[in-house]
Amino acid sequence: MAGKKGDRKSPAKTLAKTTKEKPAPSKSKSISFYFHAPDARSVTIAGSFNNWDGQANPLTRNPEGTWTVTLSLKPGSYHYKFVINGDQWQEDPGNPNRLPNDQGDFNSVCEVS
């Protein structure tokens, strides 16, 4: 049956889509690491934040023999060690937070919130 002139079907109603707000992206924070080793020729930091690459993040030595680096890390828990002279892996003596690793010793742990 045909409709009368001017008789229109009502347009399809569009349902308002409810969108969940995306959580704000986790902002990175600048985290500084310090290691005192006046006799070291080089110090780097390796950890879960750089796939345990012992060359990725070198520290800079100040005149008193303290090595430093500042990394930009997102919130989370990170395991790490210092690498002295390219082959000596050592926990962070200034950080009491540590967990056992699969090598039979410990990794230092940094919590970023």
Side-chain angles (χ1 to χ4, degrees), residues 78-90:
Y78 299 95
H79 291 217
Y80 69 97
K81 282 191 169 189
F82 291 109
V83 184
I84 299 91
N85 299 330
D87 62 1
Q88 180 186 352
W89 292 64
Q90 183 176 329

Side-chain angles (χ1 to χ4, degrees), residues 1 15 22 25 31-33 42 46 49 57 72 77 83 95 98 110:
M1 183 167 150
L15 299 175
K22 294 181 182 176
I31 306 297
S32 294
F33 296 87
S42 68
F49 46 78
N57 298 104
S72 181
S77 179
V83 184
N95 181 358
R98 63 186 200 148
C110 173

Side-chain angles (χ1 to χ4, degrees), residues 58-80:
L59 282 72
T60 303
R61 184 184 187 279
N62 72 13
E64 291 79 34
T66 299
W67 299 77
T68 63
V69 67
T70 300
L71 303 177
S72 181
L73 299 175
K74 291 185 178 180
S77 179
Y78 299 95
H79 291 217
Y80 69 97

Side-chain angles (χ1 to χ4, degrees), residues 5 92 111:
K5 187 175 179 177
D92 183 345
E111 299 287 341

Side-chain angles (χ1 to χ4, degrees), residues 29-43:
K29 292 188 178 182
S30 294
I31 306 297
S32 294
F33 296 87
Y34 302 89
F35 187 76
H36 187 73
D39 297 328
R41 294 183 312 279
S42 68
V43 178

